[in-house]
Amino acid sequence: MSMFALTNARGETVDINNDKLLSYTPTGLGVHFTNTYSQYETYFKATKSTVAQGQFQINILFGDVESQAYQTFSDFAQFLAYQPLTLTYTTSAGTWYRDGRLNSLTKTEIGGSTVFATDRINESFTLEFINNWYNNRSAEYKSYDPDPNLAKYGKEYINQGANNAISDTNSIVGLAVVGKAILGKTEDESVTKADFAYGYFGEHGDNDYYYAYPESVVNSSEKMLPLVNDSKYFGLQQGSPCIVTITGATINPHWTVIQGGVTVSTDGFNLTLADNQRLIVSSYPEDQYARVYNPDGSFADVSQLQDFTMTNFVQIPEGESTVLVYVDKDAGVNLTFKEERMLV
């Protein structure tokens, strides 16, 4: 695959840098901001920043020989009819994707181009972007084999100037030794699951900050997905859109996004899934939906069954976060989010 390729809504892909579609002088791969300032004497304080919609433009020579020019142009025009289009951009820095819609494709005669005269059709193609550069990242819940000696698993982290984890897997009893001291509990007092709320406990010692969370509860409906989102939004967006998929029998599934001990967003549905059904919830702005799919591929919109006491259509914040999904024990959980960049 060359530097640029296009994929249409039917899943067809065209390389736009080969003998039949020879592209050159691409522009519009960067970013443009409009910043507003409040002036005080010789100082300027930023008050608002917006990003302009990007436009990718490139020139294309159609056909490897003159006799093929018209047919190659016609084939490309038919390919463009199925929108939106996805541009694939591959460099030594990696491969990124961006969706858009056709803005323009010029059409002149052979030898009549305003760029320069050739024996082929020489045209300008412009794509209007509708989102950021992205890569899809996924996390899937994997169950643990039951351990008769432990009721649950956990992890404990200490921030001694960004030290590594001091233990990988401990029982909740082991975590309680440190946890009681941090929480100010006495030895006849018990440590409950609520005490190990997912995040900050407090200080212990010289500026050491402890964190602990349960990895999984064997017989619980709670499933945890740790995520790392390396998106870069230049401060203009708070999180990345995602698709949550719940597979199999469950009642009233719901989920919570937590970062640094704070609940960021929540979502849930008042419905019952059969063991052969899937609930798919998309928070992608260009394609937001909540559907229950049947084995034959048919689906029903269930957005009216969303729990409106929650924030709904969650987004994944930049950095590390945890998604807790509450479903029946045997239900499957998958989450895909867009790691996005405004500039690559």
Side-chain angles (χ1 to χ4, degrees), residues 136-141 213 215 223-231 240-244 255-260 265 314-325 333-339:
N136 290 320
R137 307 298 186 196
S138 294
E140 184 173 1
Y141 172 78
Y213 59 84
E215 180 78 3
K223 301 182 188 294
M224 189 188 75
L225 301 176
L227 303 175
V228 177
N229 182 3
D230 199 25
S231 295
S240 304
C242 68
I243 295 177
V244 177
W255 47 93
T256 300
V257 181
I258 296 170
Q259 186 176 52
S265 56
V314 302
Q315 292 191 327
I316 307 303
E318 295 178 63
E320 296 184 4
S321 64
T322 300
V323 179
L324 299 175
V325 184
V333 176
N334 177 274
L335 185 148
T336 298
F337 69 92
K338 285 187 174 182
E339 181 179 292

Side-chain angles (χ1 to χ4, degrees), residues 6 16-17 29 38 45 64 70 138 217-218 222 230 244 283 305-306 340:
L6 283 172
I16 58 172
N17 195 16
L29 297 169
S38 175
K45 180 180 179 180
D64 52 352
Y70 291 107
S138 294
V217 181
V218 174
E222 178 186 88
D230 199 25
V244 177
S283 64
L305 301 178
Q306 204 162 24
E340 298 185 303

Side-chain angles (χ1 to χ4, degrees), residues 26 36 51 59 90 95 98 123 131 133 136 140 185 223 263 272 279 295 307 323 326:
T36 304
V51 63
N59 295 301
T90 303
T95 297
R98 201 167 184 182
E123 306 303 335
N131 54 15
W133 296 105
N136 290 320
E140 184 173 1
K185 292 204 170 194
K223 301 182 188 294
T263 297
T272 299
L279 169 65
D307 185 344
V323 179
Y326 299 89

Side-chain angles (χ1 to χ4, degrees), residues 14 18-21 60-80 105 107-110 119-123:
V14 169
N18 56 50
D19 291 340
K20 289 189 175 182
L21 293 171
I60 303 176
L61 287 170
F62 290 90
D64 52 352
V65 294
E66 180 177 347
S67 61
Q68 294 296 319
Y70 291 107
Q71 186 60 55
T72 303
F73 181 92
S74 178
D75 292 342
F76 186 65
Q78 304 314 305
F79 166 86
L80 297 178
L105 175 62
K107 175 68 183 294
T108 58
E109 285 298 320
I110 291 177
D119 59 353
R120 288 183 281 177
I121 298 177
N122 187 8
E123 306 303 335

Side-chain angles (χ1 to χ4, degrees), residues 273-328:
L273 278 184
D275 58 5
N276 61 354
Q277 290 182 312
R278 288 180 301 153
L279 169 65
I280 302 181
V281 182
S282 168
S283 64
Y284 290 4
E286 70 274 22
D287 193 22
Q288 190 177 84
Y289 61 83
R291 300 168 182 166
V292 169
Y293 283 81
N294 300 307
D296 61 1
S298 62
F299 64 86
D301 174 66
V302 293
S303 55
Q304 74 278 8
L305 301 178
Q306 204 162 24
D307 185 344
F308 297 113
T309 65
M310 301 184 176
T311 62
N312 302 142
F313 294 115
V314 302
Q315 292 191 327
I316 307 303
E318 295 178 63
E320 296 184 4
S321 64
T322 300
V323 179
L324 299 175
V325 184
Y326 299 89
V327 291
D328 287 2

